[in-house]
Amino acid sequence: MSRGSHTKWLRALLVFCAPASVLAEPASHVASPTSIFAPASTPAQSIFGLSMFVLAVVGGVFVVVFPLLAYSVVKFRDRHNDDHSEPPQIYGSNQVELAWIVVPILIVVGLFLATAHVIASIQNVTPPSGSTEVVVIGHQYWWEYRYPDLKIVTANELHVPVSDPAHPTPTFLTLLSADTDHSFWVPRLAGKTDLIPNHPNRMWIDPHEAGLFLGQCAQYCGTQHAKMLLRVYVQPREEFERWVRDQRQPANASSASSGISSGKRVFESTACTNCHTISGTAANGRFGPDLTHLMSRDTIAAGAAPNTPENLRLWIRNPDAIKPGSKMPAMGLSDQDVNALTAFLETLH
Amino acid sequence: MSTDAIIWPQLQTESRPITERLHEWVTTVDHKRLGVLYVLYAMFFLIVAGIEATIIRIQLIRPHNDFVSPQVFNRLFTMHGTTMIFFVIMPVLFGFANYLVPLMIGARDMAFPRLNAFSFWMTAFGGLLLYFSYVGASGLYGAGNAPDVGWFAYAPLTSKTFSIGNSTDYWTLSLLVSGVGSIGTAINLIATILCMRCPGMTLGRMPLLAWLNLTMGALVILAVSPLTAAQIMLLIDRHLGGHFFDTQAGGSAVIWMHFFWVFGHPEVYVLVIPAFAFASEIIPVFSRKAIFGYAAMVAATVSIAFVSMSVWAHHMFTVGMSSGANIFFVLSTMAIAVPTGIKIFNWLATIWGGKLRLQTPMLFCIAFLFQFLIAGLTGVTLGAAPFNWQLGNSYYVVAHFHYVIVGGILFTLFGAFYYWFPKVSGRMYNETLGQVHFWLFLIGFHLTFDFMHVPGILGMPRRIYTYEPGRGWDIWNLIVTIGVFFQAAGILVFVFNLVWSFFRGKVAGSDPWDAWTLEWSATSPPPVYNYAVIPTVRSRRPLWDIKHPEDPDWRYE
Ligand SMILES: [Cu+2]
Ligand SMILES: [Cu+2]
């Protein structure tokens, strides 16, 4: 191996290791609705602050040690043009070794203190008055939301009020699970917290801006873990209150046309009622999402598909076509029944 | 010290019928043959689990891809993880330990040769049991074959309610059975290292490889026992009506997590400490210098082992522990960075002032140093609990631990393969092919695992069979998948090189690297029982002393 080629691939080595730099990563969050580096709520913001500090520290270590390694590899490679003697043997040095024990210890202590501070600031918070309470229940592949104080039950699309940083009105979530483990993760609002059966958890968010925030289940929970998506609608106070008022209405009972009343009959006479609730009807199942205000939602099946008549029809005929492995069975209904059912569901505003 | 008068049995048996020769391999209790069996077995599963990974990556190459169904995907990542940890990395490391430890401490075999054979076959049958699930697990239920609960198999997904059929039972039994084998090997290694060293080899004169494998053995006993206990509890839950983890009957999902990670975190060090051992043997020889700070290296290893027993819950930062518990595990986790740092700096200091021979084993170890540095630093970011609340269970974690396992462990393992191949086979590998393998694998590794950090930061959780477009994840996943093909090509070159060189390679001689530890004084391959006359040593580098009588090591130690 000639000397020239050594240098060539050492240079190549550097080129390939460079992108690994942890420092390069923060720049890449642009244009993602789920970036952890675009916080819009206090917990996410304090995590962001801490993560910048941690990245700066480890980045600093990296910029010192990486070039040192690279330099020593280039500098001390065998040049083949001297005698074949062995280099001087050095067995160790107490001073040098002490130095690289003490410096890392100092770094670790600094990182630890900063981290402990942020842990306490996020975890040890009691709800102020004016905060909203929501019970989040994870189900195999969908989310149930209950607002105990507001007497609302809904699914998959969480609505919360905007919180003004000057007068915070945060939302506190109690996390439960009906079956397996799940995890609630909306990166722009907060870090994730797991939903574990028999192990209630708490977390909180106080979104500073209105809008739709996306996320998804972050703990493997079974076949359709991938399509257990999260949608958080952050609304200005009045809009949120309007939404609350609408949700508290019973189901739209007007069954004007015969198509709709026959759809309602199909719904009430099949197993739909065992799994779904529509308030104001006989249906009070809790295995599947509450459908009382189905049409107030933008999506169905935990964000797996937009809430359009075609998708509803497809879903009722064969849920596996949208979400293979979901816990809702295909009911084997006739086309006529499916159409009637869809027409009925579309009245549930 | 060595003698050429003893002939390797295989040379004598060349003309005997294949069945007889196979019989010899199956019934062998020789530590070298068992070592080779472990390694070949692990190589087979490396290919299997590598193919699984490739299918996983093809499925994720673009959003809403439907290369495989969700059910198949979930089985693939479960099998990939379980196979790689338990049936590739562990056995390959045990194989190297088996082969090298007795040779390096001047012993004729392991302390308990029959236990050694028993342990190997337990591990081997464990792997077969896992894969037999593809045939046998559907049972009468028509349920899915092959486990699909993830490699850490969180309760209650493993309970009868959520996992019908027998796939979870195969998973449990296979880890139970191979766990018994692992504990057997660990006991054997510890006994061998403590009791069978040749005259003059005090603990302080052992090669670092022996020290590190001693530590690894201790960790295996401490870590695998709770895992085995948990598997038995899970079996009781599933078949005898127990409720340890059955949340629907008041059991605890969190207890399973504790059991699993009390095993799972030390397991990381079970895997990485032998990798450190390879680096600690290869880097000095190819830098032409003694290891820098031997005592500090031993102390750092032992303290890593101790501290690693107290960090397990950093895998559970998101399960809702109290802030006090979170803070404790942040501290213990970050503390590990200190001894790990010592190791990196000592390797650096070994290189410093040396004359580096940049042949394939050394190239892999140099890449390991760079990559392990990065893996350690991303590990620190994950150890900061609040940062972990964002990054945990995302692709960032997947990238981080593959940086450890591939960029750290697999790279040094490749280095070890090339370094000791001449000893085991008696022939040199092809250096050009070795370097082709290195560069292909390096490119593939960085394409895949550097860029894999990014989707994690952008909110992509792990274990999803598909993902939504418009999240900024697409391009990164595409690059990650492309990298896989470079890695696969590298592996093909590697396997070809070893097979071809085994038959056609240059004859290596007993000491092709001009190295210093005892194994290089035996013939290549070493005879049965290794040493006709048990060697006596006076320092950590007995062959250096022989080669440099004017300046022997024992003057300085
Ligand atoms: Cu999930
Ligand atoms: Cu760990």
Side-chain angles (χ1 to χ4, degrees):
Chain A
M1 190 62 58
S2 75
R3 181 181 172 178
S5 75
H6 277 306
T7 347
K8 218 186 312 148
W9 30 270
L10 283 166
R11 211 175 301 128
L13 180 78
L14 293 185
V15 173
F16 280 116
C17 294
S21 155
V22 273
L23 283 179
E25 283 157 10
S28 52
H29 70 267
V30 271
S32 169
T34 45
S35 170
I36 67 170
F37 289 147
S41 152
T42 306
Q45 252 153 12
S46 17
I47 294 177
F48 176 67
L50 176 72
S51 56
M52 285 301 123
F53 174 70
V54 174
L55 283 176
V57 173
V58 299
V61 175
F62 179 81
V63 226
V64 174
V65 181
F66 192 98
L68 201 64
L69 269 172
Y71 171 80
S72 56
V73 171
V74 176
K75 174 90 192 333
F76 297 109
R77 70 193 189 277
D78 188 7
R79 289 188 165 71
H80 286 280
N81 50 6
D82 57 6
D83 55 342
H84 285 276
S85 65
E86 303 282 23
Q89 301 296 304
I90 298 155
Y91 299 91
S93 152
N94 289 341
Q95 292 85 335
V96 177
E97 287 172 64
L98 199 63
W100 57 59
I101 295 176
V102 171
V103 175
I105 288 182
L106 296 179
I107 296 177
V108 162
V109 169
L111 283 173
F112 166 69
L113 292 177
T115 306
H117 175 76
V118 175
I119 291 178
S121 81
I122 294 178
Q123 277 197 280
N124 302 343
V125 167
T126 39
S129 65
S131 53
T132 310
E133 284 286 340
V134 183
V135 177
V136 181
I137 306 172
H139 293 258
Q140 271 183 323
Y141 329 133
W142 63 280
W143 305 92
E144 176 177 356
Y145 299 117
R146 301 185 154 246
Y147 298 66
D149 306 331
L150 304 173
K151 310 251 175 327
I152 295 175
V153 179
T154 182
N156 292 329
E157 297 180 357
L158 175 64
H159 288 247
V160 301
V162 154
S163 168
D164 174 3
H167 307 280
T169 47
T171 302
F172 277 74
L173 310 178
T174 300
L175 306 174
L176 310 174
S177 166
D179 37 52
T180 63
D181 300 346
H182 307 273
S183 193
F184 187 94
W185 189 27
V186 182
R188 295 191 60 203
L189 298 182
K192 63 180 73 59
T193 308
D194 295 354
L195 298 81
I196 301 168
N198 302 344
H199 183 91
N201 275 334
R202 291 277 278 173
M203 67 180 278
W204 61 282
I205 52 178
D206 63 340
H208 298 153
E209 52 188 84
L212 170 61
F213 294 86
L214 300 177
Q216 68 190 85
C217 176
Q219 183 63 272
Y220 177 63
C221 52
T223 312
Q224 272 298 343
H225 165 57
K227 290 199 178 163
M228 185 164 165
L229 307 178
L230 277 158
R231 301 170 70 85
V232 178
Y233 291 75
V234 177
Q235 296 172 308
R237 180 52 74 176
E238 318 74 65
E239 209 181 293
F240 175 71
E241 266 153 18
R242 198 165 338 116
W243 177 81
V244 168
R245 234 174 298 118
D246 290 347
Q247 294 291 311
R248 293 175 66 151
Q249 306 296 319
N252 189 343
S254 79
S255 39
S257 82
S258 66
I260 290 166
S261 62
S262 79
K264 187 173 180 201
R265 213 164 35 247
V266 177
F267 189 89
E268 287 181 321
S269 59
T270 57
C272 308
T273 53
N274 294 342
C275 296
H276 293 288
T277 296
I278 296 180
S279 71
T281 73
N284 61 358
R286 283 196 59 188
F287 187 75
D290 188 303
L291 301 179
T292 310
H293 297 284
L294 176 66
M295 298 319 283
S296 73
R297 304 204 274 267
D298 292 338
T299 61
I300 56 169
N307 187 358
T308 62
E310 304 80 69
N311 282 339
L312 265 184
R313 204 171 295 125
L314 181 60
W315 175 260
I316 295 166
R317 183 170 296 132
N318 180 17
D320 276 4
I322 292 178
K323 211 169 162 180
S326 89
K327 295 287 173 192
M328 168 152 156
M331 310 278 288
L333 299 173
S334 68
D335 281 358
Q336 202 187 348
D337 284 353
V338 170
N339 287 338
L341 257 178
T342 314
F344 165 63
L345 291 177
E346 276 166 44
T347 65
L348 301 172
H349 289 287
Chain B
M1 247 186 244
S2 68
T3 167
D4 294 15
I6 295 181
I7 304 164
W8 209 38
Q10 207 187 354
L11 299 180
Q12 303 170 323
T13 57
E14 217 65 80
S15 57
R16 301 186 15 226
I18 178 107
T19 47
E20 212 165 298
R21 273 186 279 151
L22 273 180
H23 183 254
E24 262 178 19
W25 278 90
V26 171
T27 57
T28 185
V29 294
D30 173 39
H31 76 97
K32 295 186 291 300
R33 287 194 162 197
L34 285 166
V36 170
L37 283 175
Y38 264 118
V39 171
L40 291 178
Y41 167 84
M43 292 276 285
F44 170 74
F45 276 117
L46 175 72
I47 309 282
V48 172
I51 292 172
E52 286 161 358
T54 311
I55 300 175
I56 289 174
R57 282 316 315 175
I58 293 175
Q59 165 67 14
L60 294 176
I61 197 166
R62 60 184 171 86
H64 291 317
N65 200 4
D66 54 3
F67 184 66
V68 292
S69 70
Q71 289 85 352
V72 167
F73 185 91
N74 295 344
R75 287 172 205 143
L76 282 173
F77 71 68
T78 304
M79 294 297 268
H80 168 75
T82 308
T83 310
M84 281 294 191
I85 298 288
F86 294 99
F87 303 111
V88 178
I89 308 279
M90 273 183 104
V92 80
L93 295 173
F94 285 163
F96 273 91
N98 246 300
Y99 196 101
L100 294 172
V101 166
L103 276 166
M104 290 178 87
I105 63 173
R108 288 191 167 137
D109 204 321
M110 296 282 276
F112 310 115
R114 281 161 190 269
L115 175 63
N116 203 8
F118 172 74
S119 301
F120 168 74
W121 290 106
M122 289 300 269
T123 306
F125 283 120
L128 294 183
L129 207 51
L130 183 67
Y131 276 84
F132 188 72
S133 65
Y134 270 111
V135 185
S138 312
L140 297 174
Y141 301 90
N145 53 23
D148 61 354
V149 289
W151 87 277
F152 41 78
Y154 271 3
L157 213 49
T158 48
S159 68
K160 271 277 183 212
T161 322
F162 300 105
S163 174
I164 54 173
N166 293 109
S167 60
T168 298
D169 300 314
Y170 278 93
W171 180 85
T172 307
L173 284 171
S174 103
L175 296 203
L176 194 63
V177 167
S178 69
V180 171
S182 303
I183 291 178
T185 299
I187 292 173
N188 213 343
L189 277 172
I190 294 173
T192 308
I193 295 170
L194 290 184
C195 308
M196 313 254 308
R197 280 164 289 133
C198 65
M201 187 173 285
T202 58
L203 283 178
R205 286 189 195 148
M206 288 199 304
L208 275 181
L209 186 136
W211 257 114
L212 269 61
N213 274 296
L214 178 64
T215 317
M216 180 267 260
L219 267 184
V220 166
I221 294 180
L222 291 173
V224 175
S225 313
L227 177 72
T228 307
Q231 304 293 5
I232 292 172
M233 289 154 83
L234 181 57
L235 279 177
I236 292 175
D237 268 13
R238 285 180 60 86
H239 295 288
L240 299 175
H243 303 300
F244 295 109
F245 312 121
D246 179 0
T247 48
Q248 301 204 314
S252 168
V254 179
I255 289 286
W256 170 269
M257 298 180 190
H258 282 295
F259 266 103
F260 191 88
W261 291 117
V262 154
F263 151 78
H265 191 86
E267 171 71 6
V268 177
Y269 289 92
V270 166
L271 304 180
V272 88
I273 285 177
F276 291 165
F278 301 144
S280 303
E281 296 301 326
I282 295 172
I283 289 176
V285 169
F286 286 81
S287 307
R288 311 308 304 159
K289 276 181 67 204
I291 188 84
F292 186 92
Y294 175 94
M297 287 300 245
V298 172
T301 308
V302 175
S303 52
I304 286 177
F306 269 105
V307 182
S308 80
M309 299 303 300
S310 66
V311 301
W312 76 91
H314 67 204
H315 297 266
M316 298 166 56
F317 280 141
T318 62
V319 308
M321 295 185 294
S322 70
S323 56
N326 281 333
I327 288 173
F328 171 80
F329 284 105
V330 169
L331 182 62
S332 59
T333 301
M334 289 191 172
I336 284 213
V338 177
T340 314
I342 295 174
K343 285 185 155 290
I344 292 191
F345 286 122
N346 279 0
W347 286 316
L348 177 65
T350 306
I351 289 176
W352 196 270
K355 281 187 180 176
L356 307 194
R357 295 186 183 163
L358 296 174
Q359 282 150 308
T360 312
M362 186 62 169
L363 288 178
F364 274 108
C365 285
I366 291 175
F368 152 79
L369 289 180
F370 286 103
Q371 287 152 193
F372 195 69
L373 170 69
I374 295 169
L377 294 177
T378 56
V380 170
T381 63
L382 284 166
F387 205 179
N388 186 291
W389 296 335
Q390 289 286 18
L391 299 174
N393 256 341
S394 79
Y395 259 90
Y396 186 93
V397 169
V398 182
H400 159 73
F401 71 71
H402 281 88
Y403 238 89
V404 176
I405 293 178
V406 181
I409 299 168
L410 193 58
F411 266 74
T412 49
L413 252 172
F414 283 138
F417 263 101
Y418 288 110
Y419 181 59
W420 280 290
F421 180 79
K423 178 56 51 189
V424 176
S425 69
R427 293 174 186 272
M428 286 307 283
Y429 64 88
N430 180 304
E431 180 65 31
T432 313
L433 286 180
Q435 297 198 5
V436 169
H437 166 208
F438 172 74
W439 287 109
L440 279 174
F441 206 78
L442 189 78
I443 295 169
F445 170 78
H446 285 283
L447 278 178
T448 298
F449 296 112
D450 293 5
F451 294 105
M452 192 183 275
H453 290 86
V454 183
I457 288 172
L458 301 185
M460 179 169 173
R462 66 196 286 197
R463 297 181 164 176
I464 53 176
Y465 74 93
T466 193
Y467 52 94
E468 302 298 302
R471 307 241 159 147
W473 305 343
D474 311 10
I475 177 73
W476 307 109
N477 279 291
L478 176 66
I479 301 174
V480 165
T481 301
I482 291 172
V484 171
F485 295 100
F486 283 87
Q487 294 183 57
I491 299 268
L492 288 182
V493 174
F494 167 65
V495 172
F496 173 80
N497 193 358
L498 294 197
V499 173
W500 186 84
S501 305
F502 182 79
F503 296 106
R504 292 282 146 77
K506 272 206 330 272
V507 172
S510 64
D511 185 14
W513 305 118
D514 191 6
W516 303 312
T517 37
L518 278 180
E519 78 272 28
W520 303 103
S521 72
T523 50
S524 301
V528 235
Y529 297 120
N530 304 343
Y531 301 105
V533 180
I534 292 288
T536 305
V537 302
R538 294 183 70 182
S539 80
R540 290 171 204 146
R541 296 191 297 170
L543 270 61
W544 170 276
D545 294 350
I546 294 175
K547 292 168 186 170
H548 300 269
E550 76 294 347
D551 185 30
D553 264 2
W554 47 262
R555 283 216 194 117
Y556 308 99
E557 280 169 11

